[in-house]
Amino acid sequence: RTSAWARSSRAKAAASAPHAPPAPRTVPMTDKPYNPDAHAHPGLHLLALFEGMKGLLALVAAVSLEVMGPQPLRDFVQGLITKFNLNPDSGPLPTLVHAINPTAVHLVAIVLLVYAFWRLLEAWGLWHAKAWASWLGFIGTVAYLPLDLLGIYYHHGWHAWAVLALNLLVAAVLARDLIKRRKGRIVAPPTDAG
């Protein structure tokens, strides 16, 4: 417990002392400037690995289609028709067998190559904490959400819910990164102009 005399003498000493610089402002964690160091974002690294794996799988699928050609696919679908004793003249599988031709295989391979390039580019950008990659991933993930909801509507299993939860988690991580970037641009540490 301090006396009134001690408090008043401290106040006089503080008033006569030279002005000290103001105490540094404490900034809540959410208002910290955005750290551009890629190592400061482990969530983005995890997403980069996930997107990179999807890109590599799409690349392997595209190359496999081009190397194998249409005949192994036709044989596989014919095997399904035989195994399940389906009518080989009508239905979706015989229609699929007739639709599998070299042109269709080339078209699917091109689509897979574009998808692989997109995912690998996004993975590189996320690994290096690039803003454009966060935007690319966020927009791409949010575009899948209506399809995820349709999947839940038609397929009530746990897997449809798991895919939706995963896509929501990815969208949330990317949205958080984009929001932190935006706040990091607006909130800057105070500068001493005097």
Side-chain angles (χ1 to χ4, degrees), residues 32-50:
K32 278 198 236 176
Y34 186 80
N35 185 352
D37 181 23
H39 298 293
H41 308 283
L44 293 183
H45 282 175
L46 189 62
L47 287 179
L49 291 173
F50 181 64

Side-chain angles (χ1 to χ4, degrees), residues 50 87 107-108 111:
F50 181 64
N87 183 353
L107 182 62
V108 170
V111 169

